[in-house]
Amino acid sequence: MSKYVRRRGVTLTNQGSRKLNQAKSEAEIEQNQRYTLESLSKKIGLTPNTLSKIFTCSSGVDKRTLKCCFDAFNLSLLADDYLYLKSEQDNQVQINPIPPAENYSFLEPVCNSPFDMLRDRNNAAQIKKMVQPQDDLQPRLPTAPGGQMPLYSVFYIDRPIIESLCYEGIQEPGTLLNIRAHKQMGKTSLMSRILYYARSLDYQTVSLNLQLADAEILQNLERFLKWFCARVSKELEFPYSPSHEQIADFWDNSLGSKSIATDYFNDIILANLDRPLVIAIDELNQLFAYPDIAREFLQLLRTWSEQAKAGVAESNAWQKLRLVTVHSTEIIMPPSINPSLLNTGLVINLPEFTPAQVQDLARRYEQEMTEQQIQQLITILGGHPYRLQLAFYYLHQQTITLEELLENSQSATSLYAEHLKQQWWNLQRYDELLPIFTEIVNNPKPIEIKVSLGYKLQNMGLIHLESDRACLSCELFRPFFMGVLN
């Protein structure tokens, strides 16, 4: 056997990711079709699993593999488009193999306006069992953006590669999907679509939001796991669902909370299910304020995921379980929590919108914009879904003109007053970030930055980081932060 081993440590930088996704989106518009992992696999000659690593930037690949992907879209792979991961980082993330799907596609009919007709989502074989509610078939005028987007909102912009990964992933026993991004990037909206797709497969689903757990529950492992088990039981609405008193009786402190919770899931929940169960946990970051509890719970989820992959299917109730976690990256994870605990399974980092996706959103709001105007808008607002949705909403309401928006005028800033205050509130919690962020705000060109600080600011959505150089993620931030910081 050859001793030569290929180095699988290359991943895309932000610049490379934007470049590749923009080329893919332009090709989709030109050919009037959406690429799936399978169609990309046929086009490029790489496996769906390898492509998922490239597009989600969640694991390293061979440099020649990355070049092959770029060549397929007539792109040149430049030194600034990729970087080498350290070996320990490269091995932290594992992606479950994605089996080839059976002839699914994301072809969408071209419509002049979302107010004339809604997109037909049923032409995707992946979601062919999903039936639209009758009262959702009629077009609706836009409502103010914010929070989870309705399942059939015409203003929801698909991320086909990511959605394909998630829909395929939850069909695998023991899957653990980790969805992450800063606030208002569409995490919960994606989660709701994963759950809806799971229900179309006749799976049981449970959605838990950790914001519903009181602080005294979150800071005690036994109380938290009791709460978790009780909420899952209640959401499943079993006719034989145990009461809180019965759950309390089930608890035997001599075995330890994690062991008891495991027995409870095995003996009470999974043993009484005749179909797969998807549990989605939103706002996982609520636990980060309690590092010891967070560490124990994340270890437990990983153990459950691994148990599903062991043993024979017929005798392994854990194979029914699939897990989805969602957390906001503004909340910096305490150093006492091993990062690998959040890098287990399939990691989904939600990217910003590409210019093609922004153009698509503009059309849905009946806004005619040139490519140059789209680029200007992205410079002002970034590719952030909420900021863009809000801009097009106010343009449609004629609250502001496109010229005022593109000038980054005071009128534009005032529309984002609450959003900007939220960014400032997030930043103030981390004193060590204020000096370097002030430098970035005061410099119109990228500046050199300590990478560890850069990652934190990037996870908060405040900067774009290329190697060790950082710049503001959008020009909307500059006048506001110059005022509050200086």
Side-chain angles (χ1 to χ4, degrees):
M1 180 183 292
S2 172
K3 294 183 180 180
Y4 173 72
V5 178
R6 289 189 301 167
R7 185 180 182 187
R8 306 184 67 83
V10 175
T11 188
L12 290 173
T13 61
N14 286 339
Q15 172 183 306
S17 179
R18 287 197 296 271
K19 191 161 124 181
L20 181 59
N21 276 286
Q22 181 173 348
K24 179 180 73 68
S25 297
E26 289 172 354
E28 288 173 337
I29 290 175
E30 182 180 341
Q31 298 173 27
N32 191 31
Q33 72 168 6
R34 289 288 180 89
Y35 284 123
T36 64
L37 285 176
E38 183 181 346
S39 59
L40 278 175
S41 178
K42 292 178 181 177
K43 173 182 173 68
I44 301 174
L46 300 174
T47 67
N49 189 35
T50 298
L51 288 169
S52 74
K53 294 178 182 180
I54 293 173
F55 278 92
T56 62
C57 302
S58 58
S59 186
V61 298
D62 189 281
K63 181 181 173 183
R64 288 173 294 178
T65 300
L66 203 56
K67 185 178 184 303
C68 178
C69 193
F70 269 55
D71 289 344
F73 291 100
N74 298 316
L75 296 173
S76 297
L77 182 63
L78 305 178
D80 291 339
D81 294 331
Y82 65 92
L83 55 84
Y84 282 99
L85 295 174
K86 294 180 180 179
S87 58
E88 62 270 19
Q89 292 175 326
D90 194 30
N91 291 329
Q92 283 179 356
V93 184
Q94 296 178 351
I95 294 186
N96 296 329
I98 305 297
E102 293 184 4
N103 190 27
Y104 57 87
S105 113
F106 281 90
L107 292 175
E108 293 185 1
V110 177
C111 55
N112 294 326
S113 165
F115 306 104
D116 296 331
M117 62 183 294
L118 290 177
R119 294 172 298 143
D120 177 14
R121 295 175 180 265
N122 289 332
N123 60 357
Q126 274 192 312
I127 49 177
K128 62 186 177 182
K129 296 182 182 179
M130 301 165 78
V131 181
Q132 297 188 22
Q134 289 301 311
D135 30 345
D136 276 341
L137 293 178
Q138 295 302 317
R140 296 179 179 178
L141 294 176
T143 57
Q148 178 181 325
M149 298 194 74
L151 281 172
Y152 291 103
S153 171
V154 295
F155 305 107
Y156 178 79
I157 299 297
D158 296 303
R159 294 176 169 106
I161 293 292
I162 286 176
E163 288 162 1
S164 173
L165 281 169
C166 293
Y167 295 157
E168 289 292 324
I170 60 166
Q171 297 180 61
E172 293 295 311
T175 284
L176 178 55
L177 298 181
N178 294 294
I179 301 171
R180 61 183 65 169
H182 37 276
K183 287 186 181 298
Q184 298 175 310
M185 285 286 290
K187 301 183 298 298
T188 303
S189 295
L190 174 60
M191 184 193 81
S192 70
R193 283 156 178 79
I194 295 170
L195 292 178
Y196 193 72
Y197 175 67
R199 289 192 291 274
S200 79
L201 300 175
D202 200 31
Y203 289 3
Q204 290 267 187
T205 64
V206 169
S207 177
L208 300 179
N209 189 320
L210 294 195
Q211 288 183 330
L212 295 175
D214 297 337
E216 57 265 27
I217 290 175
L218 293 175
Q219 57 191 312
N220 180 279
L221 182 62
E222 181 177 334
R223 292 194 65 181
F224 174 67
L225 291 179
K226 282 183 180 178
W227 176 88
F228 184 77
C229 291
R231 289 302 311 175
V232 172
S233 296
K234 180 175 175 57
E235 293 295 323
L236 287 172
E237 297 180 341
F238 287 159
Y240 45 81
S241 182
S243 65
H244 285 277
E245 291 76 17
Q246 289 172 309
I247 292 174
D249 292 340
F250 191 90
W251 232 257
D252 180 354
N253 290 329
S254 64
L255 294 177
S257 298
K258 290 195 294 183
S259 177
I260 299 168
T262 301
D263 290 342
Y264 182 87
F265 259 77
N266 186 76
D267 301 343
I268 303 296
I269 293 180
L270 297 176
N272 289 296
L273 284 176
D274 57 359
R275 46 187 166 150
L277 168 65
V278 180
I279 300 177
I281 306 166
D282 202 0
E283 296 291 346
L284 183 68
N285 45 273
Q286 292 292 313
L287 280 178
F288 293 172
Y290 313 100
D292 292 341
I293 311 303
R295 183 173 56 253
E296 297 289 348
F297 185 59
L298 291 171
Q299 287 174 342
L300 182 62
L301 295 184
R302 182 165 69 177
T303 299
W304 288 355
S305 175
E306 290 171 350
Q307 282 188 225
K309 299 168 186 175
V312 181
E314 291 75 16
S315 59
N316 186 0
W318 289 97
Q319 292 214 342
K320 301 172 189 174
L321 185 64
R322 290 97 165 102
L323 296 163
V324 181
T325 66
V326 178
H327 79 270
S328 297
T329 55
E330 285 95 340
I331 312 301
I332 297 177
M333 192 170 62
S336 59
I337 301 177
N338 189 332
S340 67
L341 290 175
L342 280 170
N343 289 332
T344 301
L346 176 59
V347 176
I348 301 293
N349 294 294
L350 291 190
E352 293 189 334
F353 285 165
T354 64
Q357 288 172 313
V358 178
Q359 184 69 266
D360 185 9
L361 185 60
R363 292 194 188 101
R364 300 184 194 200
Y365 276 94
E366 297 184 321
Q367 301 298 313
E368 294 296 328
M369 296 179 65
T370 65
E371 289 185 14
Q372 182 180 0
Q373 289 172 326
I374 291 292
Q375 290 292 349
Q376 287 179 279
L377 187 63
I378 292 175
T379 299
I380 300 298
L381 302 178
H384 191 280
Y386 170 75
R387 291 197 290 266
L388 291 164
Q389 291 274 0
L390 199 63
F392 288 125
Y393 170 77
Y394 282 118
L395 286 171
H396 186 268
Q397 298 295 318
Q398 299 183 351
T399 303
I400 192 172
T401 66
L402 181 59
E403 290 71 25
E404 289 175 312
L405 197 56
L406 297 182
E407 288 171 2
N408 201 15
S409 66
Q410 182 59 42
S411 298
T413 304
S414 64
L415 297 181
Y416 293 93
E418 292 305 315
H419 178 73
L420 292 169
K421 289 176 185 176
Q422 181 66 48
Q423 305 304 313
W424 174 225
W425 185 83
N426 290 336
L427 181 62
Q428 287 181 90
R429 288 181 292 174
Y430 307 106
D431 291 339
E432 75 277 13
L433 300 179
L434 289 172
I436 187 61
F437 186 65
T438 302
E439 286 188 49
I440 295 170
V441 168
N442 290 330
N443 283 276
K445 294 184 178 180
I447 67 167
E448 191 172 334
I449 184 176
K450 189 176 179 180
V451 175
S452 60
L453 298 178
Y455 281 142
K456 292 177 181 179
L457 289 169
Q458 180 174 254
N459 285 339
M460 297 173 75
L462 295 174
I463 68 167
H464 284 149
L465 186 66
E466 300 290 350
S467 186
D468 62 348
R469 304 190 70 78
C471 63
L472 276 181
S473 59
C474 66
E475 284 302 311
L476 176 72
F477 289 164
R478 199 175 302 277
F480 172 79
F481 278 113
M482 287 184 76
V484 298
L485 290 169
N486 297 330

